[in-house]
């Protein structure tokens, strides 16, 4: 297969105005690729798209999607647009199966109609449910414990079937705990009702939340709180660019974990957030949150070996610092 230069490749990015999508659009733009974002702006923002054009459209609207494919003629698609709130998925599973699963089928149909053979999918460690072993390898059983995780597993299975049936290759990236923001605080996570630990800790430091609650201190971990593998969003974005290069060079369909391969407890994150912000914000110890596995840590051997991905920002302090700079800027916007 002839190697394509980045400038001759257009990537259509669904959800490119959202948190992770916008960092990937930035990484693609910086690497010289042409980018078109397709986003309905339900949770994304037009200002977050730092490179290329933005088409405002819904994945349910196949006519609009076709127009975008017709206009940009992408060689590759990256699919981020999805709902991501686990508790909401438990309350309203059909919303998740429609938006995350059915709409992915729409996108695949249009992609195949336009002969796009290269697809990168935004998946999650939630596909593993409560893992039997730590670190978690990509071959671990897929046993999601909520409709959010299930909606992503279904798409992974559909992708595998498509790769069997059509001239089509994909990479699915299973994200562990994504955090941090752009080093210049131009883009970052925006959530009106944040549930994630780092964001909640920083909003507590800013006085926007009264106190941070630690969900459970009786887990079978060294300090009793849950352990997670936190990855800086720009390192994650680079993994997408490498996955794209891999597929464009003829690589076969593959699934990769995205994490650093080591974890931090909730208490460690809280202590680091206090250190970075310089604010001794109030913390209370509460009961467990339903559905939280004690530890989620990625086995990252595959992505390091096969995509030659090496983290540049494997540092919890840096993750929290970039999130903090972003949070301060966003809160005064
Ligand atoms: N957590 C917490 N207090 C909070 C938010 C989260 O103790 O206000 C804990 C949560 O129970 C989990 C860890 O922090 O053990 C990471 O949660 P987060 O929601 O950030 O990510 P998840 O691992 O659920 O995707």
């Amino acid at each position: 297969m002839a190697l394509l230069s980045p400038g001759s490749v257009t990537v259509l990015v669904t959800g490119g105005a959202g948190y992770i999508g916008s960092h990937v659009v930035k990484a693609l733009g910086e690497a010289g690729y042409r980018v078109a974002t397709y986003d309905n702006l339900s949770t994304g923002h037009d200002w977050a798209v730092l490179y290329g054009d933005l088409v405002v459209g819904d994945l349910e609207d196949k006519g609009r999607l076709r127009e975008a494919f017709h206009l940009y003629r992408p060689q590759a698609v990256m699919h981020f647009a999805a709902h991501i709130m686990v508790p909401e998925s438990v309350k309203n599973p059909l919303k998740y199966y429609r938006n995350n699963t059915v709409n992915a089928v729409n996108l695949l149909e249009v992609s195949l109609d336009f002969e796009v053979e290269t697809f990168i999918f935004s998946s999650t460690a939630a596909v593993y449910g409560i893992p039997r072993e730590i670190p978690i390898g990509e071959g671990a059983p897929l046993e999601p414990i909520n409709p959010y995780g299930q909606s992503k597993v279904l798409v992974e299975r559909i992708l595998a079937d498509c790769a069997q049936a059509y001239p089509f290759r994909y990479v699915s990236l299973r994200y562990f705990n994504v955090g941090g923001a752009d080093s210049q605080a131009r883009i970052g996570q925006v959530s009106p009702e944040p549930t994630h630990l780092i964001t909640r800790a920083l909003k507590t430091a800013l006085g926007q939340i009264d106190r941070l609650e630690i969900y459970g201190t009786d887990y079978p971990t060294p300090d009793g709180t849950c352990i997670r593998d936190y990855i800086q969003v720009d390192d994650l974005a680079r993994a997408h660019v490498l996955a794209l290069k891999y597929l464009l060079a003829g690589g076969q369909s593959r699934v990769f974990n995205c994490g650093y391969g080591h974890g931090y407890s909730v208490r460690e994150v809280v202590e680091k957030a206090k250190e970075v912000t310089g604010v001794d914000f109030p913390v209370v110890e509460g009961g467990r949150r339903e559905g939280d596995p004690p530890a989620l840590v990625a086995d990252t051997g595959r992505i390091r070996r096969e995509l030659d991905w090496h983290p540049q920002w494997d540092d919890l302090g840096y993750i929290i610092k970039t999130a903090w700079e972003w949070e301060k800027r966003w809160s005064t916007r």
Side-chain angles (χ1 to χ4, degrees):
M1 188 173 291
L3 284 181
L4 298 164
S5 71
S8 66
V9 175
T10 299
V11 187
L12 188 123
V13 181
T14 75
Y19 170 49
I20 298 171
S22 63
H23 285 82
V24 174
V25 166
K26 177 185 74 166
L28 288 168
E30 285 173 353
Y33 290 95
R34 287 191 276 184
V35 195
T37 288
Y38 188 87
D39 198 301
N40 66 6
L41 300 183
S42 60
T43 53
H45 298 271
D46 53 4
W47 48 256
V49 181
L50 299 181
Y51 286 86
D53 292 349
L54 166 66
V55 178
V56 179
D58 204 292
L59 287 172
E60 252 174 16
D61 184 352
K62 278 177 85 175
R64 183 89 177 133
L65 200 49
R66 283 180 177 284
E67 277 172 24
F69 273 75
H70 192 71
L71 190 61
Y72 293 100
R73 296 276 164 187
Q75 282 78 33
V77 167
M78 292 195 184
H79 179 37
F80 297 90
H83 293 320
I84 56 161
M85 309 296 278
V86 169
E88 185 190 45
S89 80
V90 175
K91 286 203 190 89
N92 194 354
L94 290 179
K95 178 175 176 182
Y96 278 68
Y97 290 122
R98 173 157 297 282
N99 192 40
N100 294 5
T101 311
V102 175
N103 285 349
V105 173
N106 282 350
L107 177 63
L108 284 165
E109 283 171 346
V110 176
S111 300
L112 287 162
D113 282 352
F114 280 82
E115 295 174 354
V116 173
E117 297 180 6
T118 305
F119 196 96
I120 293 173
F121 178 58
S122 170
S123 190
T124 167
V127 298
Y128 298 116
I130 298 175
R132 298 176 199 177
E133 277 177 30
I134 297 289
I136 310 168
E138 287 87 349
L142 302 184
E143 298 170 328
I145 56 166
N146 50 59
Y148 166 66
Q150 188 71 268
S151 73
K152 294 279 182 174
V153 169
L154 289 171
V155 177
E156 286 201 359
R157 298 217 159 109
I158 291 166
L159 288 168
D161 289 343
C162 287
Q164 288 290 322
Y166 311 116
F168 176 84
R169 288 164 300 116
Y170 71 93
V171 162
S172 180
L173 296 173
R174 294 178 182 158
Y175 311 156
F176 281 66
N177 287 60
V178 188
D182 172 52
S183 61
Q184 298 169 56
R186 292 170 297 176
I187 49 177
Q189 190 155 33
V190 178
S191 32
E193 291 173 35
T195 59
H196 289 126
L197 175 62
I198 293 176
T199 310
R200 289 190 67 81
L202 298 179
K203 285 189 182 288
T204 313
L206 282 171
Q208 296 170 4
I209 294 175
D210 291 342
R211 53 187 127 69
L212 181 78
E213 182 176 342
I214 295 183
Y215 301 144
T217 53
D218 61 347
Y219 283 96
T221 59
D223 71 13
T225 66
C226 290
I227 292 174
R228 295 289 181 272
D229 185 341
Y230 295 90
I231 174 173
Q232 217 280 345
V233 64
D234 281 324
D235 264 338
L236 180 67
R238 283 178 42 258
H240 291 75
V241 176
L242 292 173
L244 175 66
K245 280 188 190 155
Y246 163 85
L247 286 175
L248 291 174
Q252 289 308 301
S253 296
R254 215 70 180 114
V255 174
F256 297 105
N257 282 339
C258 295
Y260 287 144
H262 56 83
Y264 293 95
S265 72
V266 174
R267 285 193 209 279
E268 286 171 326
V269 172
V270 171
E271 281 317 304
K272 189 56 87 176
K274 288 186 175 183
E275 184 189 313
V276 168
T277 61
V279 182
D280 188 16
F281 54 82
V283 178
V284 290
E285 297 186 357
R288 291 184 177 196
R289 185 173 71 175
E290 207 185 323
D292 272 340
L296 285 175
V297 177
D299 180 336
T300 61
R302 187 186 282 183
I303 190 167
R304 290 173 194 260
R305 239 180 1 256
E306 297 186 20
L307 296 188
D308 200 23
W309 174 80
H310 297 285
Q312 289 182 359
W313 297 284
D314 180 359
D315 171 1
L316 183 64
Y318 180 76
I319 295 175
I320 295 177
K321 172 102 179 88
T322 52
W324 175 235
E325 294 307 325
W326 163 253
E327 206 60 52
K328 282 191 292 188
R329 176 179 282 198
W330 173 248
S331 66
T332 55
R333 232 171 150 117

